[in-house]
Amino acid sequence: MTKELSDSMDRWLRWAQFCVALTALIAALTYAGQRSERDEQQTRSLEKMASELSEIRKDAQEGISGVRVLGERVRGLEERVGRIERR
């Protein structure tokens, strides 16, 4: 192999290596961007579920409080009925 041919092949190999490295870098950045977008979508979805769960807990707590109030009223009425029946 002549020196000129060797130098020419060396230049083309370096160019090919540069192109492969550049392509790999572009692919990695594209993948990272897609992953970042997917992570943001999942984060928004989780935040929405957390707020819905918070509302459910709040409603449940209010429901429990309402049940307690009703329980107190029922007990009060039962006591009144008991007093009236004893008379």
Side-chain angles (χ1 to χ4, degrees):
M1 197 179 326
T2 65
K3 171 91 170 129
E4 293 165 354
L5 182 60
S6 175
D7 289 344
S8 177
M9 285 179 59
D10 190 42
R11 274 194 311 267
W12 280 109
L13 284 174
R14 286 185 186 162
W15 175 249
Q17 287 174 340
F18 171 76
C19 288
V20 168
L22 184 61
T23 302
L25 177 63
I26 291 170
L29 291 173
T30 302
Y31 175 76
Q34 290 173 347
R35 183 171 182 166
S36 175
E37 184 177 328
R38 190 171 48 240
D39 288 347
E40 287 177 17
Q41 289 174 349
Q42 288 176 344
T43 300
R44 284 192 299 271
S45 178
L46 287 172
E47 287 172 350
K48 183 178 176 184
M49 284 188 256
S51 71
E52 289 175 1
L53 180 59
S54 176
E55 288 180 30
I56 291 169
R57 285 183 178 159
K58 180 182 167 193
D59 291 344
Q61 187 61 38
E62 289 174 1
I64 291 170
S65 297
V67 167
R68 287 181 184 150
V69 168
L70 289 175
E72 290 295 322
R73 288 182 178 172
V74 167
R75 278 190 285 279
L77 289 173
E78 287 173 344
E79 288 175 8
R80 284 175 147 173
V81 168
R83 279 187 248 139
I84 291 172
E85 287 176 346
R86 283 184 237 138
R87 291 185 192 170

